[in-house]
Amino acid sequence: MENESRSIVILYGSETGSSQDLAENLARQAKRRHFKTRVYAMDDYDRSQLVEEKLVVFICSTAGQGDEPANMKNFWRFLLRKNLPNDILSDIDCAVVGLGDSSYRNFNYPSKKLYKRLLQLGANMLLERCDCDDQHYLGVDGAFIPWTAQFWNIVMDKYPTSKPILSEDGIDMKVIQNTRITAPDHFQDVRHIELASDQLAYQPGDIAVIMPQNLREEVDMFLDLMGWSEYADQLIRITPNEEAVLPWPEQLKFRDLFIHHLDIFGVPRRSFFEMLAYFTKDENLKERLREFSSPEGQEDMWNYSLRPRRTITEVLFDFQPLEIPLDYILDVFPQLKPRSFSIASSIKVHPGRMELCVAIVKYKTNLKRIRRGVMTKWLATLVPGDIIPGVVIMKGTMSLPPADTPLIAIGPGTGVAPMRSFIEERVAIGTKQNVLFFGCRYHDKDFYYQDQWNAYQNKGQLMLYTAFSRDQRGKVYVQDRILEQSSLLWDLIDQQGAKVVLSGSTGKMPDQVAYAFKQIFMKEGGLSAQESEAYFSLLVKRGQYQEECWS
């Protein structure tokens, strides 16, 4: 019989993003196994809900000399309260993953303390703590991948499902359209990307997981820098050793190893500098590299690498001459990691098609150099006819309510993507109780899908409220428009059971939107501040208020 409480919460403490990466990786695995999945930084999670959870995974890295990452410090202080009963977590299944570097004395100290404290509070630990080690030749994956296999064996026995696990293989999709939908003079390039496949199936709110590629011309420049150009078109064979846990093609061109598999334009981690120190004969360079990987050199490494977002290739340029033996390539360079995008279309409206709304990542650092995201830099180059291989469709954290339940959709910026999939689907089945709050900078520069929203509104299929933050002297945001519609929203939520869905970037926006709703509950419902908080928590708990935000 299928367990009715198949939900998982993944809480991470991350200093540089590594723990968040693992949390999102585990979340994708959970969604493939049909778990209702939520991911939060520990300090962003509503701690009052913890005792209500059934299955919680904690993932935390190590900061400084064994300290907790900044975004879990409040959560950790909460767990240390002396007045917490020693059985308060007795109904919760837990697991803990730690990230650290075994060359440090306090290796994975935060996760070890967390594991011990959870046991003291009565948590049911499903399996031993996972200790990911930067020193492993596969990095954190060396411990994380075999641990997740053990974790899912235990979890799937305890939380069975009759549904098949979704495949990781994905489908190949053809690019039909790749169009800029922001004004030419707008600072941000946002693309409407249309893809096609005759194997396509998805639901509103689903997510497309895509593996990025490095651009061939940039890879060729990298090969030239490393003195490897002569090998570019040679076929190589990869023979995994006994410890290998990552899948690799048996044979491929040397150039394709760097186009499709290895991350040479991401920001390096500490272990990368330690590894490089073995491959230079220059004693000054060797000393500097080892300093970056030492506990005492963390501030210098931050200023050199993390703060300016200096890439692996730029680091290699700075530390020439280097001689990395070909046998060590898979040890030195991390693997490319997939990225997730909310699907921005309904398959009922676009049969055989999937549409995305993607902001191309481009920014300047304090080095005054232009930075471009590995994934979106590649996506921006795609033209009709190109193929994107291995696209995986997964469940998102939001879902549609029944057709007779009103929908309140909030999607500032590219957060409007899943809202478009929801609203298209609802219009297609004849549901007219749809409300959309959309925010951007300028009406004439980044009002995504303006014509479509106006058409729906003219036909009585949508109530549209817009916030253009830079079109007037005082800035206006979606939370301001929400407050202006307090009477309407209170009636929809409290009297008609409307579902609220929110999508967009993390930061202040989700909290400010939540605060606006709590203000409405007090103003229109006559609730006290405490009652308003409880009412909001109830909406979240029963899935009437859902959000999907990203950093």
Side-chain angles (χ1 to χ4, degrees), residues 28 86 163 211 218 242 255 269 318-319 340 374 376 427 448 483 514:
R28 288 192 290 268
N86 59 11
K163 300 175 184 176
M211 181 64 75
E218 293 186 353
E242 292 179 2
R255 177 191 287 112
R269 303 210 342 250
D318 286 350
F319 283 89
S340 300
V374 172
T376 58
V427 168
Y448 314 138
L483 283 170

Side-chain angles (χ1 to χ4, degrees), residues 519-540:
Q519 293 292 105
I520 289 172
F521 302 157
M522 289 190 285
K523 176 186 175 184
E524 304 293 341
L527 305 183
S528 67
Q530 188 174 2
E531 289 170 337
S532 176
E533 288 284 352
Y535 187 88
F536 182 83
S537 295
L538 182 63
L539 294 180
V540 172

Side-chain angles (χ1 to χ4, degrees), residues 367-437:
L367 294 178
K368 307 302 181 189
R369 295 178 182 172
I370 298 292
R371 293 280 182 258
R372 291 180 171 85
V374 172
M375 165 62 84
T376 58
K377 175 173 60 176
W378 167 63
L379 285 180
T381 68
L382 298 176
V383 298
D386 285 346
I387 301 296
I388 299 180
V391 178
V392 175
I393 307 299
M394 291 189 173
K395 293 294 175 191
T397 57
M398 302 181 298
S399 58
L400 273 179
D404 58 354
T405 299
L407 178 73
I408 301 167
I410 306 156
T414 53
V416 80
M419 306 310 158
R420 185 172 181 259
S421 76
F422 287 147
I423 294 169
E424 281 192 344
E425 181 91 0
R426 290 189 35 111
V427 168
I429 62 176
T431 299
K432 296 184 177 182
Q433 285 186 295
N434 305 305
V435 180
L436 173 64
F437 289 88

Side-chain angles (χ1 to χ4, degrees), residues 104 268-308 310-311 314-322 367 369:
Y104 287 67
R269 303 210 342 250
R270 184 174 64 203
S271 56
F272 178 77
F273 293 101
E274 185 169 15
M275 184 73 76
L276 282 193
Y278 292 101
F279 304 121
T280 178
K281 295 177 181 177
D282 185 311
E283 289 303 319
N284 290 328
L285 294 180
K286 190 185 295 284
E287 182 180 350
R288 193 173 181 214
L289 287 164
R290 285 182 172 160
E291 183 180 335
F292 281 158
S293 60
S294 71
E296 299 77 20
Q298 291 311 288
E299 185 175 350
D300 287 342
M301 189 196 77
W302 174 271
N303 290 330
Y304 168 75
S305 178
L306 297 176
R307 188 161 172 258
R310 198 179 244 107
T311 69
E314 288 171 332
V315 171
L316 293 170
F317 180 85
D318 286 350
F319 283 89
Q320 290 294 324
L322 284 163
L367 294 178
R369 295 178 182 172

Side-chain angles (χ1 to χ4, degrees), residues 120-244:
Q120 290 173 346
L121 295 174
N124 173 34
M125 307 308 294
L126 292 174
L127 71 170
E128 287 298 313
R129 184 186 66 249
C130 175
D131 284 326
C132 297
D133 186 1
D134 267 346
Q135 291 295 319
H136 193 286
Y137 83 101
L138 286 173
V140 296
D141 286 332
F144 185 68
I145 290 178
W147 181 89
T148 55
Q150 186 183 1
F151 171 78
W152 288 121
N153 283 339
I154 295 169
V155 168
M156 294 302 283
D157 279 345
K158 193 161 187 177
Y159 298 85
T161 177
S162 57
K163 300 175 184 176
I165 297 174
L166 300 176
S167 171
E168 283 186 281
D169 295 338
I171 54 177
D172 296 347
M173 303 201 69
K174 181 188 288 188
V175 177
I176 304 300
Q177 183 182 345
N178 186 353
T179 306
R180 177 171 175 145
I181 55 175
T182 45
D185 62 341
H186 190 53
F187 80 99
Q188 189 168 46
D189 178 359
V190 174
R191 300 297 179 94
H192 174 76
I193 300 175
E194 186 175 330
L195 308 173
S197 169
D198 56 7
Q199 303 176 48
L200 192 58
Y202 62 89
Q203 298 295 321
D206 282 358
I207 291 169
V209 181
I210 301 175
M211 181 64 75
Q213 295 180 21
N214 290 315
L215 303 184
R216 174 171 172 150
E217 57 269 26
E218 293 186 353
V219 168
D220 284 344
M221 286 190 288
F222 164 80
L223 295 178
D224 186 57
L225 167 69
M226 300 302 295
W228 293 339
S229 296
E230 63 184 287
Y231 308 123
D233 293 309
Q234 291 186 16
L235 283 176
I236 60 170
R237 185 178 295 277
I238 296 175
T239 306
N241 64 22
E242 292 179 2
E243 293 182 66

Side-chain angles (χ1 to χ4, degrees), residues 58 79 89 96 114-123 125:
F58 300 87
L79 286 183
L89 303 182
V96 173
L114 176 62
Y115 185 87
K116 183 178 179 181
R117 183 56 178 157
L118 292 171
L119 282 173
Q120 290 173 346
L121 295 174
M125 307 308 294

